[in-house]
Amino acid sequence: MVGELIRLKLTLLRRSMSGQWAVQLFLGGVIGLLAAAGTVYLATLDFGVPEVRGDLLAMAMLVWLAGWALGPILFGAGQNDLRADQLVLFPIGARTLTLGLLAAAGLGVGPAVTLVALTGLLVYAAPFGLLATLAGLIALPLTLALFVLLSKVITAVRGQVVRSQPGAALSGLFTAALLAAANSVWALAPALGVALATGFPDTLSATMRALPSGWALTSIDAVGRRDWLLAIGALGGLLVLDLLLAGVWATVLRRQLTAGRGNGRRPRAVRLAGVDDGVTGKELRTWLRDVTRTHFVFFAVFYGLLQAVIPLVNGATIFLPWTGLMVVVWTAAVTANLYGTDGTALWLTLVTPGGERADVRGRQYAWLLVVAPIAIVLTVVFAAVAGLGWAWPWAIALTAAALGAGSGAVVLVAVHAMVPLTDPRNRGSGAWENRIDVVQVIGVLAVVVPSLAPTFGVLWLSGTLDVPALAWVAVVLGVASGVAYAWGFGLLAARRLAAQGPELLSRMRSGPAPVAVGRPPALAGGTGQAPPWAVAVVLSCFVACWVPLVAQGLVPMILKLAGSGITSWFLALHMPQAYQWWVIGGMMLLGLVLIGIGLAVARNFDIRPGAGFGGVPARSSAMDSPEPERRDIADEVRKAISGRRTD
Amino acid sequence: MRQANAAEDVRHRGDGGPPALEIVGLRKRFGEKVAVDDVALTVPAGSFFGVVGPNGAGKTTSLMMAVGLLRPDAGTVRVFGVDVWADPVRAKTMLGVLPDSLALPERLTGPELLRFAGRIRGMDHATIESRATELLAVLELDDAGGTLVIDYSTGMRKKIGLAAALLHRPQLLVLDEPLEAVDPISAATIKTILRRFVEAGGSVVFSSHVMPVVEQTCDHVAVVSGGRVLASGPTAEVTGGETLEERFVGLVGGGGSGGREGLSWLAN
């Protein structure tokens, strides 16, 4: 049976090797392989202090672990994953099922790339002798299993936990903490240069090795020191942890399969004094009752809070007054899939005369009713705590402008860059398929950030000219521009919805429209293909852009700022002093242009992931609906398993 | 209040006015597949019109295009003479729609859903309350007042969708499989409601693949298959003395004799 599941997974992988999925897999593979090569390269480097090599490798392992933990949250559970609920009707024992699903989960681009990265362990172990290499060989599959299992457990547990508001809050906090921690790593960059020469602080190396991601290294190091007990302990620890995670996963899977869809939940009675029962009322009730939405508000609030609070560790209070502002911006960025989360319920708006305008305005109003109180409280409280008198008008003006622009940006992005999700009633108990969409985040930021510019400009003037009264003019401007943004962006969104509502609904039902207005026949359910040149352009742009942007731009910039004196292969740093900044700037611009070209082509040919990126395609089961069928995984399962059983 | 009183509008029954629904040359293709191929239908005002066809015939696609939910590649749709795609606001004022298998605002209870549907149409609170209470009672959804729509059964979803379509007293109801998965008692209720609606001058178009239901209730019928209209007109004319089912099988082909061959392992 395990063999059958593996075969099934391979079939699904093979099927996905076409069109947009192939592009996506290929891109992921290339980026992953670069990262893996970097990890292995770390293991070969020679620094003045011998421990540095191990410390760096341990950090890299932690980054891989974090990637596996965060992956499903940021990018959605894999589209090609076998899902337990598809197998529930077949006579397969729980243990076999877990083992089979684990084996199937171990197949794919992600695990393959990670396996390459983990060979860095062997490279690291080789100088310590044969026994250390042997320890590395044992630790390698155990660590890979740890990564895969952790990712699976997080996906499954999250599906179980995020069914109630406290669960959504907890999950939001977890995601926010992980992301904030990942962000804060960059703050260590200046310290890195020093550490490479003098070694990392002992506490840091100890922590890196004490975390499960570092146990493989701990074991290899221990063999090197002939500390057999620790060596075996670390390997045994990995094995026990793997088994434990597998046990948790099996339990959660079993519960998921038998728990049904949570029937009989009592809706929270929502009394809305003074709020219309129309769109605003519906939206507010949905915000309060639908955890797929609230989860993101919780995430954004915690993320904004952590970003403001973490610098307090260094005694920096300067970030506190902006907490409300950051929460507003992040909430807007991650809640912009308003139409996607509701699924095909859009029809009710579309059959209503003039319903589009009412719908957009109601959604904006409800969004403000949810976000504004949080933002106001956070701004007032944290500005007071920070005790920075001058910061008050800044915080108030920018938060007000951001609230208006945010309420406009969410509806604008919601209609322009909707990500189709499975209709709410078909989202299984564990299939919690919503995710943060990068395109939407960029879209919202692209609208909100420039919108703050006028207000910021006046504030900046008041600071430069030292005219405090001007800052209060900025407050008026912030509020006024906020109102204008909310009104104007909302108007644009309503117009778009009125003009393109049926197309939006079609995308919800069947993924990217087979024949969209003003586009060449696009990819849909494998019936059409983007022309090869388009795929090639997108691929080369996304693969190549990182070289000028990061490797020849960002990195030399940091090195130059840090005054490291390293020149290596960085073109800019080989230039005469006067030209260095120009070359760095030019390189970064080149990278951005490449990304822009890639995005433009991808958008025109709809190479962008469409329906079902986060799970099952959002198409209805209308029996009469002749839209091209997307491949049905359950059918595959049936064919592979039933077929074989009767052979 | 924009069209809350559409009910009191002039009725267009048998007075030589425009048909309730007029579809001409409607086409839609998805990629390579032509789903709807030059469909033409005329639904006279005041008629109870059934659309029948096998799975994948293009019924849903045609009805979605007829009510403004799916943009046709070609063709025109007029509701009482108003072009649905050129003047959607006026056309939608006269329409009540129940699509098949689409989501609803899932996190609302039934009464909340009806209030939403009424308010977004600009109806006043008192009218919404009185009509919603009556509709919920007649459709036997009043016991489920505290249940979210997401927890409704398929039949209950059909009923609440129908209630939302009726709430503003449209002149033309377009219903896609309104009786599917609805229990027999509720189905009888719905048929009675729809008959009364037609008697009072309203027009109904509904799709189904249950022939006896269409035969009993509809005075007009269209047979659709492979994206084309094979026959259309008054029910008696279309059936020509046969039962609708016999006529349907004759038109669509296949003879209804599938399933007699193979499967020896199952039948022994």
Side-chain angles (χ1 to χ4, degrees):
Chain A
M1 182 51 59
V2 173
E4 293 304 332
L5 291 177
I6 291 175
R7 211 190 312 262
L8 178 62
K9 167 82 180 207
L10 287 174
T11 308
L12 293 178
L13 273 179
R14 203 172 54 240
R15 289 278 177 84
S16 67
M17 288 295 181
S18 66
Q20 54 193 0
W21 300 114
V23 174
Q24 213 174 348
L25 273 183
F26 184 82
L27 277 181
V30 169
I31 294 167
L33 265 184
L34 287 177
T39 309
V40 177
Y41 180 60
L42 279 182
T44 66
L45 287 178
D46 199 10
F47 297 95
V49 187
E51 286 80 26
V52 169
R53 193 161 62 105
D55 290 341
L56 279 179
L57 195 56
M59 281 179 205
M61 290 297 149
L62 183 62
V63 171
W64 281 95
L65 179 101
W68 276 92
L70 274 172
I73 299 170
L74 296 183
F75 306 112
Q79 137 93 5
N80 295 310
D81 273 1
L82 294 191
R83 298 199 337 226
D85 54 343
Q86 293 158 342
L87 300 163
V88 68
L89 286 177
F90 297 100
I92 311 172
R95 195 169 302 171
T96 318
L97 184 62
T98 311
L99 201 63
L101 289 179
L102 178 62
L107 293 171
V109 175
V113 164
T114 311
L115 192 67
V116 174
L118 287 174
T119 55
L121 289 173
L122 302 181
V123 176
Y124 174 79
F128 292 106
L130 193 65
L131 276 177
T133 313
L134 189 66
L137 263 179
I138 299 170
L140 197 149
L142 290 176
T143 308
L144 182 62
L146 171 76
F147 291 169
V148 175
L149 277 166
L150 186 72
S151 168
K152 290 285 154 196
V153 167
I154 286 177
T155 314
V157 170
R158 206 154 143 272
Q160 292 289 299
V161 167
V162 185
R163 304 172 86 180
S164 61
Q165 297 297 357
L170 199 69
S171 168
L173 177 62
F174 174 76
T175 316
L178 270 183
L179 259 189
N183 283 358
S184 307
V185 168
W186 292 105
L188 300 175
L192 196 67
V194 184
L196 290 184
T198 63
F200 287 96
D202 285 345
T203 45
L204 186 71
S205 355
T207 314
M208 286 298 149
R209 283 176 171 73
L211 291 169
S213 56
W215 289 356
L217 282 165
T218 305
S219 163
I220 294 168
D221 283 341
V223 172
R225 293 194 307 270
R226 316 244 162 249
D227 185 347
W228 307 117
L229 200 65
L230 184 61
I232 291 170
L235 291 180
L238 268 178
L239 181 65
V240 171
L241 191 58
D242 283 352
L243 291 175
L244 217 65
L245 284 172
V248 172
W249 191 34
T251 312
V252 179
L253 277 184
R254 197 163 53 239
R255 209 184 285 176
Q256 217 173 68
L257 293 183
T258 51
R261 266 189 214 152
N263 286 323
R265 63 199 123 186
R266 294 298 301 175
R268 178 200 296 217
V270 181
R271 300 206 184 289
L272 304 167
V275 173
D276 190 84
D277 259 334
V279 181
T280 312
K282 180 213 67 167
E283 279 290 295
L284 269 184
R285 291 192 168 95
T286 308
W287 276 114
L288 292 168
R289 289 171 182 165
D290 185 357
V291 289
T292 53
R293 283 197 187 189
T294 13
H295 169 262
F296 282 141
V297 178
F298 284 120
F299 162 77
V301 169
F302 287 126
Y303 190 47
L305 264 178
L306 285 171
Q307 282 188 326
V309 170
I310 285 177
L312 277 183
V313 177
N314 294 331
T317 54
I318 183 68
F319 292 97
L320 290 179
W322 324 113
T323 313
L325 176 66
M326 279 191 276
V327 168
V328 171
V329 174
W330 284 122
T331 309
V334 297
T335 56
N337 204 17
L338 285 174
Y339 287 101
T341 50
D342 287 359
T344 51
L346 179 63
W347 72 268
L348 202 47
T349 298
L350 295 184
V351 298
T352 305
E356 295 90 356
R357 206 180 147 270
D359 194 285
V360 166
R361 290 302 185 202
R363 282 172 193 269
Q364 283 189 287
Y365 192 38
W367 189 88
L368 277 173
L369 285 178
V370 170
V371 182
I374 302 172
I376 292 168
V377 168
L378 286 177
T379 302
V380 170
V381 169
F382 280 87
V385 170
L388 303 167
W390 61 268
W392 278 99
W394 286 66
I396 295 170
L398 290 172
T399 307
L403 274 172
S407 77
V410 285
V411 284
L412 205 53
V413 170
V415 292
H416 278 277
M418 189 267 305
V419 177
L421 296 177
T422 311
D423 271 351
R425 70 179 186 285
N426 296 332
R427 291 177 199 151
S429 62
W432 195 81
E433 287 144 354
N434 207 351
R435 67 190 166 91
I436 296 170
D437 185 77
V438 183
V439 175
Q440 289 185 343
V441 172
I442 294 172
V444 169
L445 293 181
V447 172
V448 174
V449 174
S451 301
L452 300 180
T455 310
F456 184 81
V458 175
L459 288 165
W460 181 78
L461 270 181
S462 93
T464 322
L465 305 176
D466 201 16
V467 185
L470 209 51
W472 293 102
V473 173
V475 171
V476 178
L477 179 63
V479 174
S481 65
V483 172
Y485 293 139
W487 178 81
F489 294 151
L491 189 68
L492 291 178
R495 278 192 189 152
R496 167 82 177 184
L497 187 60
Q500 295 279 302
E503 281 70 23
L504 204 62
L505 184 66
S506 291
R507 264 171 55 77
M508 287 171 179
R509 294 175 73 214
S510 58
V515 184
V517 175
R519 283 185 182 188
L523 301 164
T527 54
Q529 294 282 337
W533 68 263
V535 179
V537 167
V538 174
L539 276 182
S540 11
C541 281
F542 284 138
V543 171
C545 67
W546 306 108
V547 177
L549 184 64
V550 178
Q552 291 292 344
L554 200 63
V555 177
M557 184 176 85
I558 292 171
L559 290 175
K560 189 170 160 58
L561 286 174
S564 67
I566 298 171
T567 53
S568 179
W569 74 312
F570 303 112
L571 180 67
L573 304 184
H574 286 284
M575 290 281 156
Q577 198 70 26
Y579 298 114
Q580 290 193 354
W581 280 119
W582 289 104
V583 175
I584 289 175
M587 283 290 185
M588 292 174 81
L589 189 67
L590 179 63
L592 290 176
V593 167
L594 283 176
I595 292 179
I597 294 173
L599 279 178
V601 175
R603 209 181 140 68
N604 266 326
F605 288 93
D606 229 340
I607 289 165
R608 215 195 104 171
F613 183 52
V616 190
R619 94 180 264 294
S620 70
S621 58
M623 292 163 71
D624 202 9
S625 171
E627 279 108 308
E629 283 289 339
R630 287 170 160 267
R631 64 170 179 282
D632 184 353
I633 295 179
D635 270 356
E636 286 297 332
V637 176
R638 233 164 279 138
K639 250 179 261 164
I641 294 177
S642 312
R644 205 148 280 279
R645 294 182 75 79
T646 49
D647 280 349
Chain B
M1 289 302 293
R2 281 190 301 275
Q3 71 284 353
N5 296 321
E8 280 71 54
D9 283 5
V10 188
R11 295 284 140 71
H12 305 265
R13 195 179 192 189
D15 55 358
L21 180 67
E22 190 182 17
I23 297 175
V24 182
L26 207 57
R27 282 175 194 277
K28 184 74 187 177
R29 57 189 292 166
F30 297 102
E32 298 297 301
K33 184 176 158 70
V34 178
V36 171
D37 189 6
D38 201 11
V39 160
L41 273 183
T42 303
V43 177
S47 65
F48 200 133
F49 199 104
V51 179
V52 295
N55 298 333
K59 300 191 295 286
T60 293
T61 308
S62 299
L63 293 185
M64 293 272 285
M65 289 191 285
V67 298
L69 287 176
L70 181 68
R71 201 181 299 277
D73 295 342
T76 50
V77 181
R78 289 196 192 86
V79 173
F80 293 111
V82 177
D83 191 316
V84 170
W85 289 95
D87 189 359
V89 172
R90 263 183 73 207
K92 287 171 184 176
T93 309
M94 296 181 277
L95 270 173
V97 179
L98 172 67
D100 186 32
S101 301
L102 294 188
L104 290 162
E106 308 281 345
R107 308 285 165 172
L108 300 184
T109 64
E112 287 168 354
L113 173 65
L114 293 186
R115 260 176 250 146
F116 162 67
R119 286 300 297 156
I120 194 176
R121 278 184 178 267
M123 293 168 65
D124 65 87
H125 289 282
T127 313
I128 297 173
E129 279 313 312
S130 68
R131 288 184 185 181
T133 313
E134 261 191 297
L135 279 169
L136 291 170
V138 172
L139 292 168
E140 291 171 326
L141 289 169
D142 44 353
D143 286 345
T147 309
L148 295 183
V149 171
I150 197 171
D151 290 328
Y152 273 22
S153 68
T154 312
M156 290 165 79
R157 297 177 69 89
K158 289 280 179 195
K159 291 199 277 180
I160 196 71
L162 183 66
L166 291 168
L167 189 69
H168 58 284
R169 179 52 172 95
Q171 288 162 265
L172 169 64
L173 271 175
V174 178
L175 314 171
D176 196 358
E177 301 280 359
L179 300 177
E180 201 182 33
V182 174
D183 66 84
I185 296 171
S186 300
T189 309
I190 291 174
K191 280 184 273 181
T192 309
I193 295 173
L194 295 180
R195 267 193 219 105
R196 283 180 60 194
F197 175 75
V198 172
E199 279 159 18
S203 312
V204 175
V205 178
F206 87 93
S207 74
S208 177
H209 38 236
V210 185
M211 302 297 151
V213 170
V214 176
E215 204 166 11
Q216 281 166 24
T217 46
C218 298
D219 47 46
H220 285 68
V221 66
V223 179
V224 180
S225 182
R228 294 173 157 275
V229 179
L230 301 184
S232 168
T235 310
E237 263 176 42
V238 170
T239 53
E242 292 179 290
T243 65
L244 181 58
E245 187 154 348
E246 286 163 351
R247 184 75 185 116
F248 177 80
V249 170
L251 279 168
V252 173
S257 62
R260 292 189 192 284
E261 283 151 30
L263 304 183
S264 58
W265 54 271
L266 183 66
N268 280 335

